[in-house]
């Protein structure tokens, strides 16, 4: 049997419930890719389907230049701890995607400085950084150049977290919509190889982000949580003790605010509800799952608290976006569904 051109899986005609099924022996795409592309019908979720260690092992065993695709909106969740060690010290080009989702006010140089600082803090080394926006041809040319400069005759492997935009980027490089892309994590199911301009490229399944909110909500909510257009910051002036609920997905409590502000960078389809901290528990209890929605599949919450040290500090919630807190605030407590990752960092913007 052939491999599916969209997701790379070996096709089969015997079991419609298993990955790779196609009713027609000689088709190029499996039924799942066909339905995803033409009807936005997920059929079955593969977000927990591919073992990340298996994917990484296969990448390590395959010679080639690494293009590490990183979603710039969801930067913290897209980091891969110890990536240099895991890839045996191979050269890495970091291709930052979805720059079009970040506000225009963030200049490329400032963004690049931010990325290099964060990579430094995480002890991650890369050879080159390319920042890419949807539809921007110039940045695509930069990526071609970086690949040519570093490839040394080798194949090129695109790897990264699920949903980072690997298959989308390859479609752009080949100027063809051959690979299946979707907002659902776990679209590409196996290694998928193709030649573009005389270079052999390999698309790979995303490395699962089990700590992302995206993996912890019903799939139908993804279109409300993943932003589709440039983020419009939502600004709140703060006084005293305040609390913010981001739908029913997370809560941020801020104590001792004076001449302070909190700016949210997340999908404009999410409702942010502000209250006095003293009323926050009661409001959460009363409205969780109703006014405060969507909610995560995990109903238990974990709390993280910090004193505010940086002048401008981001509270980042994996898969959801971030809030930038500035001014005088004594301490910050973040409530996230158990298992979802969060980071306190120096502000990106
Ligand atoms: N706004 C924006 N969206 C993008 C960009 N690149 C990819 N996307 C969207 O991100 C989602 C995931 O894209 P894919 O190309 O399927 O991601 P992937 O890394 O191949 O995902 P897996 O195969 O699941 O690992 C899709 O909804 C894309 O439309 C970009 O540059 N800007
Ligand atoms: Mg893919």
């Amino acid at each position: 049997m052939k491999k599916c051109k969209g997701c790379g899986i070996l096709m089969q005609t015997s079991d419609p419930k298993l990955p790779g099924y196609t009713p027609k022996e000689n088709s190029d795409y499996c039924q799942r890719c066909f339905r995803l592309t033409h009807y936005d019908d997920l059929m079955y979720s593969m977000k927990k389907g591919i073992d990340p260690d298996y994917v990484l092992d296969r990448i390590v065993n395959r010679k080639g230049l690494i293009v590490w695709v990183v979603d710039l909106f969801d930067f913290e969740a897209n980091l891969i701890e110890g990536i240099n060690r895991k890839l045996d010290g191979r050269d890495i080009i970091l291709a930052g995607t979805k720059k079009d989702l970040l506000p225009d006010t963030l200049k490329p140089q400032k963004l690049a400085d931010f990325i290099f600082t964060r990579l430094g803090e995480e002890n991650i080394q890369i050879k080159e950084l390319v920042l890419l926006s949807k539809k921007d041809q110039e940045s695509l040319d930069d990526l071609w150049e970086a690949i040519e400069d570093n490839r040394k005759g080798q194949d090129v492997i695109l790897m990264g977290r699920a949903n980072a935009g690997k298959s989308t980027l390859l479609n752009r490089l080949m100027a063809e919509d051959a690979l299946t892309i979707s907002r659902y994590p776990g679209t590409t199911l196996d290694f998928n190889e193709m030649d573009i301009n005389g270079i052999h490229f390999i698309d790979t399944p995303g490395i699962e982000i089990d700590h992302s909110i995206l993996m912890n909500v019903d799939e139908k909510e993804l279109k409300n949580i993943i932003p589709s257009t440039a983020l419009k910051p939502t600004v709140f002036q703060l006084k005293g003790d305040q609390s913010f609920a981001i739908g029913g997905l997370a809560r941020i409590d801020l104590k001792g605010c004076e001449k302070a502000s909190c700016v949210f960078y997340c999908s404009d389809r999410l409702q942010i509800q502000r209250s006095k901290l003293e009323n926050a528990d009661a409001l959460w209890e009363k409205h969780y799952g109703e006014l405060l929605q969507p909610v995560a599949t995990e109903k238990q919450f974990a709390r993280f608290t910090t004193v505010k040290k940086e002048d401008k500090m981001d509270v980042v919630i994996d898969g959801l976006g971030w809030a930038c807190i500035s001014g005088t605030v004594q301490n910050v407590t973040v409530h996230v569904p158990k298992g979802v990752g969060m980071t306190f960092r120096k502000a990106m913007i």
Side-chain angles (χ1 to χ4, degrees):
M1 275 307 269
K2 293 197 283 190
K3 281 185 141 205
C4 169
K5 270 192 175 176
C7 68
I9 193 115
L10 195 64
M11 290 196 282
Q12 47 95 8
T13 50
S14 45
D15 192 341
K17 285 190 212 73
L18 286 179
Y21 176 74
T22 170
K24 289 191 231 126
E25 190 109 357
N26 54 358
S27 59
D28 285 334
Y29 292 88
C30 70
Q31 193 175 53
R32 178 175 190 259
C33 280
F34 184 83
R35 295 199 64 85
L36 257 181
T37 306
H38 296 285
Y39 304 111
D40 189 27
D41 171 13
L42 180 61
M43 288 182 69
Y44 45 87
S45 169
M46 289 299 288
K47 65 183 180 190
K48 300 251 185 243
I50 311 141
D51 178 3
D53 290 334
Y54 166 76
V55 176
L56 264 169
D57 267 4
R58 282 195 55 197
I59 292 170
V60 172
N61 288 322
R62 178 77 202 232
K63 265 190 105 163
L65 172 69
I66 300 287
V67 175
W68 176 23
V69 181
V70 170
D71 175 344
L72 294 169
F73 165 70
D74 202 12
F75 181 78
E76 299 299 332
N78 269 248
L79 293 175
I80 299 173
E81 201 194 334
I83 186 168
N84 299 99
R85 178 177 40 80
K86 285 178 177 155
L87 296 176
D88 287 339
R90 251 192 274 177
D91 285 351
I92 296 173
I93 295 175
L94 193 159
T97 57
K98 314 194 192 183
K99 188 171 154 288
D100 52 284
L101 293 181
L102 302 178
D104 277 346
T105 47
L106 179 60
K107 297 296 169 225
Q109 189 55 53
K110 193 175 169 203
L111 177 58
D113 291 345
F114 167 85
I115 291 171
F116 279 112
T117 304
R118 278 299 288 124
L119 293 178
E121 286 164 358
E122 299 297 322
N123 218 352
I124 294 174
Q125 283 92 39
I126 58 165
K127 196 85 190 293
E128 278 199 51
L129 171 68
V130 182
L131 302 174
L132 296 131
S133 277
K134 197 154 113 181
K135 296 190 182 125
D136 169 23
Q137 182 57 40
E138 208 177 304
S139 56
L140 206 61
D141 294 342
D142 293 344
L143 181 61
W144 272 120
E145 204 176 309
I147 288 172
E148 292 289 6
D149 288 351
N150 292 285
R151 173 169 93 83
K152 301 176 187 136
Q154 300 181 93
D155 297 347
V156 181
I157 305 168
L158 270 78
M159 66 161 289
R161 294 289 196 184
N163 243 21
K166 301 174 290 297
S167 305
T168 304
L169 190 51
L170 274 165
N171 276 345
R172 292 190 66 204
L173 290 171
M174 64 181 137
E176 200 188 318
D177 288 334
L179 306 177
T180 306
I181 64 165
S182 83
R183 78 175 85 84
Y184 309 105
T187 303
T188 304
L189 297 182
D190 208 336
F191 284 50
N192 203 359
E193 317 215 0
M194 68 222 72
D195 290 317
I196 313 171
N197 296 347
I199 302 177
H200 195 70
F201 281 85
I202 303 158
D203 190 12
T204 63
I207 294 166
E208 177 198 327
I209 323 179
D210 55 357
H211 47 87
S212 168
I213 208 105
L214 304 183
M215 301 291 277
N216 290 277
V217 291
D218 193 291
E219 266 89 11
K220 71 177 188 322
E221 298 297 350
L222 294 178
K223 63 178 182 305
N224 298 321
I225 298 173
I226 303 171
S228 52
T229 52
L231 296 169
K232 287 181 208 75
T234 312
V235 186
F236 295 91
Q237 302 303 330
L238 310 174
K239 213 168 179 244
D241 298 345
Q242 305 251 280
S243 176
F244 294 91
I246 308 161
L249 294 171
R251 201 175 110 185
I252 301 178
D253 297 342
L254 303 157
K255 264 193 181 167
C257 307
E258 230 177 280
K259 289 192 183 135
S261 69
C262 183
V263 184
F264 284 88
Y265 295 88
C266 48
S267 164
D268 57 9
R269 293 192 184 202
L270 287 170
Q271 293 260 354
I272 297 161
Q273 303 287 346
R274 165 203 185 115
S275 67
K276 283 187 179 162
L277 183 55
E278 65 200 54
N279 301 331
D281 282 340
L283 279 169
W284 186 266
E285 200 110 307
K286 189 164 171 216
H287 296 295
Y288 178 77
E290 284 163 30
L291 177 69
L292 303 180
Q293 47 105 359
V295 296
T297 40
E298 170 63 67
K299 304 289 184 275
Q300 299 232 29
F301 279 70
R303 282 182 203 202
F304 302 90
T305 298
T306 185
V307 286
K308 184 172 161 293
K309 291 185 221 96
E310 309 283 355
D311 177 36
K312 276 171 86 181
M313 181 185 88
D314 286 344
V315 173
V316 188
I317 300 170
D318 291 345
L320 190 61
W322 70 96
C324 175
I325 299 158
S326 56
T328 304
V329 175
Q330 266 159 21
N331 72 47
V332 181
T333 299
V334 185
H335 309 239
V336 284
K338 249 188 177 161
V340 170
M342 65 82 45
T343 311
F344 297 112
R345 72 178 179 199
K346 193 164 188 255
M348 177 196 248
I349 295 175

